[in-house]
Amino acid sequence: MTSTDLTLAFAQAFGSSARPVHVARAPGRVNLMGEHIDYCGLPVLPMALRRSVRLAFQPRSDRETRLVNRDPRFAPSTFAVHKRIAAAPAGDWSNYARAAAQALAERFPDLRGVDALVESDLPIAAGLSSSSALVVAMALALLHANRTMVAPLELMELLGRGERYVGTAGGGMDQAIILGARAGCASRIDFHPLRLTPTAVPADWQFIVAWSLVHAEKSGAARQAYNQRTRQCDEARRLVAQRLGQREDVTYPALLAAAPVEQLLQVAETNLTGMLARRFRHVVTEESRVRQAEAALAARELAAFGQLLDASHRSLRDDYEVSHPELDRLVELAREAGAAGARLTGAGFGGSIVALCRASSAPEVVAALRERFYGPRGAAGDVAQHLFTAEPSAGAEVLTPDH
Ligand code: NG1
């Protein structure tokens, strides 16, 4: 969107004269490795996308916040910024903006609100963090409007916790990478304490993102399934710790430091139910895949990275049971078309896959997915919405268009 376009749209939405506005831009993300382990406090390896949520805003003199979405599927919403912001009904898009406002208002009691116009080119409920991008964009807008600063790592943590307002027990990966991504790089994120370590993505590697056409609505069944996984991981950790004579509140990183993976897996297999043992196996094997993937990235070993993607997908499908037949099909087709590897990305239950190939063979992989996946499903027409190459991009920022 050009700045003129944006100013006009803003004036139209709020009936005011066209005045310059600021724009908070927050990218989506694709997680390359380390799925469903951030809430176990274990490292993950995502990168930010070029696609983003953009929020044009003007400060107000009172606490009101008026939100308008350029996508007509999302109705306008208004709330006052204070410590206890009532949630809109479950599934309402404005809850992500409310989450950001409440998180900041708990810390800064006298915030004034904003008028904000939201637009996005991120597919929604596609495992690419459009929701966290909205949380981050809203937070940056409120901070800017109030001339308030929060140190980056602190803001990542504040918003990671803050997004739980919507009812998901998320782990903090998304807010961290959306705020802290570096262009051209993927970043390993460590938790407790939070730390981001970037590694350059080789110029001749191409990650491709493809949406399964299945919405993974975090406000519905997917939320329950997600939260259930977090509880299962916790229970598995507690039981293994007990068997090893460790404190019951030992963390996953401490557990992994205390005993070799083989021993942990054996303890889990002999003492846990089949389902809990499989959940546990996903978590500890995924942790080692993150370390190996980071090393493969640094060493530019594309084939090795591809194999790790494949192994991660199998683990998410069979042990963690968060895949979907349409995701499995996409993964299979990407490999057949020449990708070095592919896996579901994000929470799963629908959503997207990420595939890796040499940049030179990306057009073939994209063409094969268009013809063999989107074509038969009647979605080849608007395929650019669902299928795109992912360029490792920079984190969120506030832009001031010049008028
Ligand atoms: P998505 O894919 O955006 O629903 C969720 C969590 C992450 C992480 C992944 C799975 C939120 C905001 N995001 O992401 O923290 O646990 O699932 O790896 O809850």
Side-chain angles (χ1 to χ4, degrees):
M1 185 200 256
T2 65
S3 46
T4 323
D5 196 14
L6 183 74
T7 307
L8 286 175
F10 189 91
Q12 223 169 27
F14 293 102
S16 55
S17 59
R19 284 174 288 157
V21 288
H22 300 287
V23 180
R25 186 197 67 84
R29 66 96 183 97
V30 55
N31 188 17
L32 304 181
M33 194 61 69
E35 218 62 81
H36 281 279
I37 60 171
D38 60 344
Y39 49 75
C40 298
L42 294 171
V44 293
L45 187 68
M47 68 184 201
L49 297 170
R50 198 176 278 161
R51 293 187 180 216
S52 63
V53 166
R54 290 166 304 277
L55 188 147
F57 66 95
Q58 278 183 345
R60 290 176 59 90
S61 52
D62 58 14
R63 284 170 178 266
E64 282 297 291
T65 279
R66 296 189 294 170
L67 293 174
V68 176
N69 199 311
R70 290 196 98 191
D71 183 335
R73 286 175 297 173
F74 303 110
S77 188
T78 302
F79 60 88
V81 179
H82 53 68
K83 255 187 176 168
R84 295 265 171 277
I85 302 176
D92 189 293
W93 72 286
S94 76
N95 281 335
Y96 295 100
R98 290 167 195 250
Q102 176 160 311
L104 291 176
E106 280 170 17
R107 175 83 192 271
F108 306 102
D110 297 318
L111 290 182
R112 56 179 172 159
V114 292
D115 284 339
L117 176 68
V118 178
E119 65 164 16
S120 168
D121 57 358
L122 277 167
I124 290 155
L128 304 175
S129 268
S130 59
S131 55
S132 299
L134 177 55
V135 172
V136 169
M138 183 66 193
L140 291 186
L142 281 172
L143 288 171
H144 193 275
N146 287 277
R147 298 174 196 277
T148 305
M149 303 262 289
V150 179
L153 289 170
E154 212 181 313
L155 187 58
M156 293 169 196
E157 281 182 332
L158 187 76
L159 298 179
R161 286 194 306 275
E163 192 171 330
R164 296 190 189 147
Y165 172 93
V166 303
T168 21
M173 156 171 67
D174 302 345
Q175 302 78 8
I177 191 67
I178 289 169
L179 278 160
R182 188 183 293 180
C185 296
S187 296
R188 188 188 78 231
I189 302 177
D190 294 288
F191 301 94
H192 319 300
L194 188 60
R195 195 158 57 101
L196 279 78
T197 312
T199 300
V201 174
D204 63 340
W205 288 27
Q206 184 66 65
F207 287 102
I208 294 170
V209 170
W211 180 46
S212 63
L213 304 174
V214 179
H215 286 284
E217 289 292 357
K218 287 279 279 303
S219 49
R223 180 172 73 187
Q224 278 172 36
Y226 181 94
N227 288 345
Q228 187 189 49
R229 296 298 184 285
T230 68
R231 287 192 298 271
Q232 290 166 347
C233 286
D234 213 41
E235 179 66 358
R237 180 198 52 71
R238 201 179 58 75
L239 293 171
V240 171
Q242 219 173 41
R243 283 285 149 186
L244 286 172
Q246 299 266 340
R247 287 167 53 128
E248 278 196 10
D249 62 354
V250 67
T251 61
Y252 265 102
L255 200 57
L256 279 159
V261 167
E262 297 70 34
Q263 188 190 352
L264 293 175
L265 290 176
Q266 216 204 338
V267 170
E269 209 156 296
T270 37
N271 295 285
L272 270 52
T273 64
M275 183 271 288
L276 279 187
R278 282 183 288 117
R279 302 291 189 261
F280 186 82
R281 183 164 59 189
H282 169 72
V283 171
V284 300
T285 58
E286 187 78 350
E287 188 268 351
S288 77
R289 283 187 288 271
V290 170
R291 282 186 282 112
Q292 294 173 60
E294 189 187 22
L297 190 62
R300 300 165 174 263
E301 289 169 353
L302 179 115
F305 201 108
Q307 280 163 16
L308 291 163
L309 289 172
D310 290 349
S312 175
H313 186 74
R314 283 193 296 273
S315 181
L316 287 158
R317 183 191 61 200
D318 302 336
D319 282 352
Y320 219 63
E321 298 180 278
V322 292
S323 193
H324 184 284
E326 292 295 81
L327 290 169
D328 298 342
R329 182 70 185 136
L330 268 175
V331 161
E332 185 182 40
L333 289 173
R335 284 198 206 111
E336 281 175 19
R343 68 177 196 87
L344 75 85
T345 185
F349 315 109
S352 302
I353 66 150
V354 59
L356 171 64
C357 60
R358 285 266 172 237
S360 54
S361 53
E364 279 158 49
V365 176
V366 166
L369 292 180
R370 185 174 54 231
E371 276 153 38
R372 299 186 62 198
F373 187 84
Y374 296 102
R377 289 162 181 77
D382 49 358
V383 75
Q385 307 254 23
H386 318 315
L387 174 64
F388 55 92
T389 53
E391 321 304 339
S393 300
E397 62 194 328
V398 175
L399 311 160
T400 306
D402 35 57
H403 291 269

Short mmCIF file of all heavy atoms in Angstrom, two decimals, residues 28-50:
data_model
loop_
_atom_site.label_atom_id
_atom_site.label_comp_id
_atom_site.label_asym_id
_atom_site.label_seq_id
_atom_site.Cartn_x
_atom_site.Cartn_y
_atom_site.Cartn_z
N GLY A 28 4.78 -11.83 9.56
CA GLY A 28 4.46 -13.19 9.99
C GLY A 28 5.76 -13.95 10.14
O GLY A 28 6.84 -13.41 9.91
N ARG A 29 5.67 -15.20 10.53
CA ARG A 29 6.89 -16.00 10.65
C ARG A 29 6.65 -17.41 10.15
O ARG A 29 5.52 -17.90 10.12
CB ARG A 29 7.39 -16.04 12.11
CG ARG A 29 6.48 -16.77 13.10
CD ARG A 29 6.85 -18.20 13.36
NE ARG A 29 5.90 -18.86 14.25
CZ ARG A 29 4.90 -19.60 13.82
NH1 ARG A 29 4.67 -19.77 12.54
NH2 ARG A 29 4.08 -20.18 14.69
N VAL A 30 7.75 -18.04 9.72
CA VAL A 30 7.67 -19.46 9.43
C VAL A 30 8.70 -20.13 10.34
O VAL A 30 9.85 -19.70 10.40
CB VAL A 30 7.87 -19.77 7.93
CG1 VAL A 30 9.18 -19.21 7.37
CG2 VAL A 30 7.81 -21.27 7.68
N ASN A 31 8.25 -21.14 11.04
CA ASN A 31 9.18 -21.84 11.92
C ASN A 31 9.86 -22.95 11.12
O ASN A 31 9.19 -23.79 10.52
CB ASN A 31 8.43 -22.42 13.13
CG ASN A 31 9.40 -23.00 14.15
OD1 ASN A 31 10.60 -22.68 14.12
ND2 ASN A 31 8.90 -23.82 15.06
N LEU A 32 11.20 -22.94 11.11
CA LEU A 32 11.94 -23.92 10.31
C LEU A 32 12.17 -25.22 11.08
O LEU A 32 12.18 -26.29 10.50
CB LEU A 32 13.30 -23.33 9.88
CG LEU A 32 13.21 -22.00 9.11
CD1 LEU A 32 14.61 -21.53 8.72
CD2 LEU A 32 12.33 -22.13 7.87
N MET A 33 12.36 -25.09 12.39
CA MET A 33 12.56 -26.31 13.19
C MET A 33 12.27 -25.99 14.66
O MET A 33 12.51 -24.89 15.13
CB MET A 33 14.02 -26.78 13.05
CG MET A 33 14.27 -28.20 13.54
SD MET A 33 13.32 -29.45 12.64
CE MET A 33 14.12 -29.40 11.04
N GLY A 34 11.74 -27.01 15.37
CA GLY A 34 11.45 -26.82 16.79
C GLY A 34 9.97 -26.53 16.99
O GLY A 34 9.58 -25.47 17.46
N GLU A 35 9.13 -27.52 16.63
CA GLU A 35 7.68 -27.29 16.71
C GLU A 35 7.12 -27.87 18.00
O GLU A 35 7.46 -29.00 18.38
CB GLU A 35 7.02 -27.94 15.50
CG GLU A 35 5.89 -27.13 14.95
CD GLU A 35 6.35 -25.77 14.45
OE1 GLU A 35 6.85 -25.69 13.32
OE2 GLU A 35 6.19 -24.77 15.20
N HIS A 36 6.26 -27.08 18.64
CA HIS A 36 5.61 -27.49 19.88
C HIS A 36 6.63 -27.78 20.98
O HIS A 36 6.43 -28.70 21.78
CB HIS A 36 4.73 -28.74 19.65
CG HIS A 36 3.41 -28.40 19.02
ND1 HIS A 36 2.34 -27.93 19.74
CD2 HIS A 36 3.01 -28.46 17.72
CE1 HIS A 36 1.32 -27.72 18.91
NE2 HIS A 36 1.70 -28.03 17.69
N ILE A 37 7.73 -27.04 20.99
CA ILE A 37 8.65 -27.22 22.13
C ILE A 37 9.00 -25.88 22.79
O ILE A 37 9.64 -25.87 23.82
CB ILE A 37 9.95 -27.99 21.76
CG1 ILE A 37 10.75 -27.28 20.68
CG2 ILE A 37 9.61 -29.42 21.31
CD1 ILE A 37 12.13 -27.90 20.46
N ASP A 38 8.51 -24.77 22.22
CA ASP A 38 8.81 -23.49 22.90
C ASP A 38 8.14 -23.45 24.26
O ASP A 38 8.71 -22.96 25.24
CB ASP A 38 8.43 -22.27 22.03
CG ASP A 38 6.96 -22.17 21.66
OD1 ASP A 38 6.22 -23.17 21.78
OD2 ASP A 38 6.53 -21.07 21.23
N TYR A 39 6.93 -24.04 24.37
CA TYR A 39 6.27 -24.02 25.68
C TYR A 39 6.89 -25.01 26.66
O TYR A 39 6.50 -25.06 27.82
CB TYR A 39 4.74 -24.20 25.56
CG TYR A 39 4.26 -25.35 24.71
CD1 TYR A 39 4.32 -26.66 25.15
CD2 TYR A 39 3.71 -25.11 23.45
CE1 TYR A 39 3.85 -27.70 24.37
CE2 TYR A 39 3.23 -26.14 22.65
CZ TYR A 39 3.32 -27.44 23.11
OH TYR A 39 2.86 -28.47 22.34
N CYS A 40 7.85 -25.81 26.19
CA CYS A 40 8.64 -26.65 27.10
C CYS A 40 9.93 -25.93 27.47
O CYS A 40 10.81 -26.51 28.12
CB CYS A 40 8.98 -27.98 26.44
SG CYS A 40 7.52 -28.96 26.02
N GLY A 41 10.09 -24.70 27.00
CA GLY A 41 11.29 -23.93 27.31
C GLY A 41 12.49 -24.35 26.48
O GLY A 41 13.63 -24.03 26.81
N LEU A 42 12.24 -25.08 25.37
CA LEU A 42 13.34 -25.57 24.53
C LEU A 42 13.49 -24.70 23.28
O LEU A 42 12.51 -24.13 22.80
CB LEU A 42 13.07 -27.03 24.14
CG LEU A 42 13.09 -28.00 25.33
CD1 LEU A 42 12.60 -29.38 24.92
CD2 LEU A 42 14.50 -28.09 25.93
N PRO A 43 14.72 -24.61 22.74
CA PRO A 43 14.97 -23.68 21.63
C PRO A 43 14.25 -24.02 20.34
O PRO A 43 13.94 -25.19 20.08
CB PRO A 43 16.50 -23.77 21.44
CG PRO A 43 16.98 -24.87 22.25
CD PRO A 43 15.92 -25.27 23.23
N VAL A 44 14.01 -23.00 19.53
CA VAL A 44 13.31 -23.13 18.25
C VAL A 44 14.07 -22.32 17.20
O VAL A 44 14.93 -21.51 17.55
CB VAL A 44 11.86 -22.63 18.37
CG1 VAL A 44 11.05 -23.53 19.29
CG2 VAL A 44 11.81 -21.19 18.89
N LEU A 45 13.76 -22.55 15.92
CA LEU A 45 14.53 -21.91 14.84
C LEU A 45 13.61 -21.33 13.75
O LEU A 45 13.47 -21.91 12.68
CB LEU A 45 15.50 -22.95 14.24
CG LEU A 45 16.51 -22.47 13.21
CD1 LEU A 45 17.56 -21.56 13.83
CD2 LEU A 45 17.20 -23.67 12.55
N PRO A 46 12.96 -20.21 14.03
CA PRO A 46 12.08 -19.60 13.03
C PRO A 46 12.76 -18.48 12.24
O PRO A 46 13.88 -18.08 12.57
CB PRO A 46 10.97 -19.01 13.89
CG PRO A 46 11.68 -18.61 15.15
CD PRO A 46 12.86 -19.53 15.32
N MET A 47 12.09 -17.99 11.23
CA MET A 47 12.51 -16.74 10.57
C MET A 47 11.25 -15.92 10.25
O MET A 47 10.16 -16.47 10.16
CB MET A 47 13.33 -17.02 9.31
CG MET A 47 12.55 -17.64 8.17
SD MET A 47 13.65 -18.03 6.77
CE MET A 47 12.43 -18.09 5.44
N ALA A 48 11.44 -14.61 10.10
CA ALA A 48 10.29 -13.75 9.78
C ALA A 48 10.05 -13.75 8.27
O ALA A 48 10.98 -13.98 7.48
CB ALA A 48 10.55 -12.33 10.27
N LEU A 49 8.81 -13.51 7.88
CA LEU A 49 8.42 -13.46 6.47
C LEU A 49 8.37 -12.02 5.98
O LEU A 49 8.34 -11.08 6.79
CB LEU A 49 7.01 -14.07 6.31
CG LEU A 49 6.85 -15.53 6.68
CD1 LEU A 49 5.37 -15.90 6.70
CD2 LEU A 49 7.61 -16.40 5.67
N ARG A 50 8.30 -11.86 4.66
CA ARG A 50 8.10 -10.51 4.13
C ARG A 50 6.64 -10.10 4.31
O ARG A 50 6.33 -8.93 4.47
CB ARG A 50 8.48 -10.51 2.65
CG ARG A 50 8.73 -9.14 2.13
CD ARG A 50 9.19 -9.17 0.70
NE ARG A 50 10.61 -9.44 0.56
CZ ARG A 50 11.18 -9.87 -0.58
NH1 ARG A 50 10.44 -10.10 -1.63
NH2 ARG A 50 12.46 -10.07 -0.65
#
